[in-house]
Amino acid sequence: MGTHYFQFKQFTIYHDRCAMKVGTDGVLLGAWCNIPKNGNILDIGTGTGIIALMAAQRSSFSQVSIDAIEIDRDAYLQAKENISSSPWSNKIQVINCSLQEYAEMSETLYDHIASNPPYFDNTLPPKSLSRQMARHTASLTYEEFVSNAVKLLKPEGHISVIYPADQDRQLTGIAVSNKLWVSRKVWVKGRPNVSPKRVLVEWGKSPVSYIEEELVIETAPLTYTPEYIALTKDFYLKM
């Protein structure tokens, strides 16, 4: 990883002007979320554009259109630059606005919505305003995120998110109150013998049976599990 960029197998992410840099959460979600064979995808809070670009790579040979919204102006401009220099610039449109604004103005409904939403609800906000918007629910509460995402979702569509494991009960309650049902769920652990730190969740508008799974990232420092390698090997250079 360079100071200002992160090199993936098929694209480069510059993140020097983004509050949130390339991290494991975004890569996990971008690799894990279900990509429809055709239709419309929405990336909420795209940041560097990483999830939109991963979705584009995974849908290279299908008829998928991707919209990516970002409230922070600097992150929006950097996402546009990252996407314009990628092989999929014609598949992704970046929009500079909040989710609340977009839900009011958009005429498009989506087959799949993905987001690594703001979190750290109960911690002191960081000093940087852009980092606050990216990391905290001050500008987008969980309730606002879910209710507005539902407005933009097709009846048969799905929403994929990643969030801290200790906030799962809260998010599940909000999803239920918005008539969403879990269709996939994975507890993410850094090592085998530690508690989960993150949860990958997919919601839909219809009840289905599902199995909760577990994903362990490492067995030792930089010794990745076969499951994590299988999930991310199309993206990381050294996988």
Side-chain angles (χ1 to χ4, degrees):
M1 176 174 153
T3 303
H4 300 305
Y5 69 92
F6 195 103
Q7 183 65 54
F8 291 91
K9 284 182 177 176
Q10 296 191 38
F11 58 90
T12 303
I13 293 286
Y14 285 86
H15 53 194
D16 52 293
R17 288 188 285 152
C18 292
M20 296 308 300
K21 312 305 181 186
V22 171
T24 303
D25 286 7
V27 175
L28 278 170
L29 183 61
W32 179 80
C33 64
N34 275 325
I35 301 298
K37 292 182 179 179
N38 51 63
N40 301 308
I41 298 173
L42 176 65
D43 176 13
I44 296 173
T46 196
T48 61
I50 183 172
I51 293 173
L53 282 165
M54 292 177 74
Q57 179 181 323
R58 292 176 59 196
S59 62
S60 293
F61 302 104
S62 60
Q63 299 299 313
V64 168
S65 176
I66 302 166
D67 293 327
I69 60 174
E70 173 55 52
I71 189 173
D72 180 73
R73 181 72 179 175
D74 285 338
Y76 156 76
L77 291 172
Q78 188 142 66
K80 280 182 69 74
E81 291 173 2
N82 287 332
I83 287 162
S84 67
S85 62
S86 78
W88 312 285
S89 58
N90 62 328
K91 296 187 71 163
I92 307 171
Q93 178 184 4
V94 191
I95 302 127
N96 184 202
C97 71
S98 69
L99 172 59
Q100 297 93 323
E101 292 170 327
Y102 192 71
E104 290 298 320
M105 71 181 188
S106 175
E107 297 180 356
T108 303
L109 293 180
Y110 292 89
D111 299 274
H112 202 100
I113 296 173
S115 181
N116 179 10
Y119 56 85
F120 297 156
D121 205 0
N122 300 315
T123 60
L124 292 173
K127 293 180 181 179
S128 163
L129 178 60
S130 60
R131 188 169 174 83
Q132 176 175 313
M133 288 193 296
R135 287 293 289 271
H136 289 260
T137 58
S139 60
L140 181 68
T141 66
Y142 281 146
E143 289 84 357
E144 289 173 321
F145 165 72
V146 175
S147 63
N148 283 286
V150 168
K151 292 178 186 176
L152 294 163
L153 190 66
K154 288 183 179 179
E156 68 280 10
H158 291 88
I159 301 170
S160 293
V161 292
I162 186 168
Y163 51 76
D166 62 5
Q167 295 178 20
D168 181 61
R169 179 173 292 185
Q170 177 189 2
L171 266 293
T172 299
I174 293 168
V176 169
S177 68
N178 282 273
K179 300 180 180 178
L180 291 173
W181 303 77
V182 175
S183 51
R184 300 167 70 211
K185 192 170 200 175
V186 178
W187 298 92
V188 181
K189 301 169 71 171
R191 299 280 178 85
N193 298 318
V194 300
S195 299
K197 289 290 188 181
R198 297 285 185 267
V199 191
L200 288 158
V201 179
E202 182 185 271
W203 294 312
K205 292 186 175 182
S206 301
V208 295
S209 60
Y210 73 98
I211 298 173
E212 293 190 19
E213 298 177 313
E214 183 178 281
L215 174 66
V216 179
I217 294 177
E218 296 178 317
T219 55
L222 301 179
T223 302
Y224 299 108
T225 63
E227 293 78 15
Y228 183 69
I229 292 172
L231 183 64
T232 61
K233 63 186 172 84
D234 289 341
F235 303 99
Y236 282 133
L237 277 177
K238 297 182 180 180
M239 287 294 190

